[in-house]
Amino acid sequence: MTQDERRVYLIKALLAEDSRYQGMEISADVQQQKRLLRALFNVRMPEPVSAEFLTVQDAYLQEETRQKGITDLSDLTPVQEGLYLWQGDITTLRCGAIVNAANSQMLGCFCPNHGCIDNAIHTYAGVQLRAACAELMERQGHEEETGRAKLTPAFNLPCDCVLHTVGPIVGHWLTRKDRELLASCYRSCLELAEQNGIQSVAFCCISTGEFHFPNDKAAEIAVNTVKEYKQQTHSEIEVIFNVFKDIDLEIYQSLLQ
């Protein structure tokens, strides 16, 4: 199958799962097809799929990521010993684990084509990730607490694993509890990573954006918590601070350099 054939196959298979989509036409425009496929991935519940679907999906997603370009941790230069700063798409980073800023349901973002990192990670990992998260949450029996962490395979992402953590949602003003919970996100991810032999972790800007944590304060907590953890535990885990926006790059540069 070509990449175009894979994409159309996946769209048709996902449309066929829901009678509401019966008769929906598929645009010939490639970008429209990509948006439709991502939207269908986003809204799909964690249900079983055929082995054939997974084979086609995995080949498609891995090729999409390859075309975007994969960045390997070994290609990065540390800004301090064991600490890296990298601006880019975290779904294209090859390292031990990337951190997903999840919500308390831990099932990924269901909003079609939403710009959050939770949406991107679930999209490019494939439908297996939502199923794995659903299994974790079913065993747990309640929503994920803020400041904790869960570990899943990365499936079609170039990293080995995904660490999912729920950051605090900031209200009208930033509280001490918000700061403590955000620090707990970083510690929980590092602890869980080391318990599972993961040697490198890439953190996104947890709780900024949709959760309204001020970017500069969040970065200060991130850097301080990681440094304190490494100093207190004598950990050799490598940490990448991943940013996407220019403003976050400037903030982390000032903190690390």
Side-chain angles (χ1 to χ4, degrees):
M1 275 188 178
T2 66
Q3 195 70 341
D4 288 340
E5 289 170 339
R6 291 178 184 129
R7 184 170 53 254
V8 172
Y9 168 91
L10 294 170
I11 291 172
K12 287 181 177 179
L14 292 170
L15 290 176
E17 288 184 338
D18 194 323
S19 60
R20 293 175 299 176
Y21 303 142
Q22 190 172 6
M24 180 181 289
E25 294 186 4
I26 302 173
S27 171
D29 181 78
V30 170
Q31 294 306 314
Q32 289 295 326
Q33 287 181 8
K34 288 186 176 184
R35 285 186 58 81
L36 175 57
L37 178 56
R38 179 165 180 166
L40 291 168
F41 278 143
N42 296 157
V43 300
R44 187 182 189 277
M45 297 302 292
E47 298 169 348
V49 288
S50 69
E52 181 183 11
F53 179 93
L54 290 179
T55 298
V56 176
Q57 176 213 244
D58 293 355
Y60 177 80
L61 291 175
Q62 290 170 28
E63 176 60 18
E64 286 294 292
T65 300
R66 189 196 67 79
Q67 290 180 14
K68 286 191 291 184
I70 295 172
T71 298
D72 197 287
L73 173 60
S74 62
D75 297 328
L76 303 182
T77 302
V79 291
Q80 294 183 21
E81 186 176 356
L83 300 179
Y84 299 77
L85 176 60
W86 178 67
Q87 184 178 30
D89 178 354
I90 201 170
T91 67
T92 65
L93 183 61
R94 180 179 286 124
C95 62
I98 63 172
V99 173
N100 178 30
N103 57 48
S104 59
Q105 287 185 309
M106 288 282 287
L107 295 180
C109 172
F110 280 86
C111 182
N113 291 289
H114 194 255
C116 70
I117 195 167
D118 196 16
N119 187 294
I121 287 174
H122 274 266
T123 296
Y124 291 101
V127 298
Q128 301 99 311
L129 182 55
R130 180 166 283 168
C133 288
E135 185 178 341
L136 284 175
M137 297 310 290
E138 184 176 356
R139 289 203 302 265
Q140 179 165 284
H142 59 80
E143 290 191 346
E144 182 71 354
E145 297 175 23
T146 303
R148 305 293 293 277
K150 290 281 191 295
L151 179 70
T152 66
F155 299 103
N156 291 293
L157 298 170
C159 57
D160 297 326
C161 305
V162 179
L163 289 157
H164 306 262
T165 189
V166 181
I169 301 174
V170 177
H172 295 296
W173 56 82
L174 187 64
T175 67
R176 179 178 177 180
K177 185 67 172 177
D178 294 330
R179 293 172 181 268
E180 291 172 348
L181 287 171
L182 184 59
S184 178
C185 289
Y186 285 89
R187 282 194 302 272
S188 295
C189 286
L190 291 169
E191 290 168 354
L192 186 56
E194 294 213 284
Q195 289 167 12
N196 288 273
I198 297 169
Q199 297 179 342
S200 58
V201 173
F203 283 102
C204 61
C205 300
I206 303 168
S207 275
T208 59
E210 295 292 319
F211 283 12
H212 309 298
F213 210 107
N215 296 56
D216 56 343
K217 302 301 182 186
E220 289 174 10
I221 291 168
V223 171
N224 290 339
T225 304
V226 168
K227 284 186 173 182
E228 287 173 4
Y229 176 86
K230 286 172 69 69
Q231 289 169 357
Q232 291 170 359
T233 63
H234 306 290
S235 171
E236 295 183 358
I237 194 168
E238 295 186 292
V239 172
I240 307 102
F241 295 106
N242 165 246
V243 298
F244 192 74
K245 299 177 181 178
D246 289 340
I247 181 63
D248 289 316
L249 179 63
E250 294 171 6
I251 292 170
Y252 275 91
Q253 282 176 333
S254 67
L255 291 170
L256 292 168
Q257 296 179 346

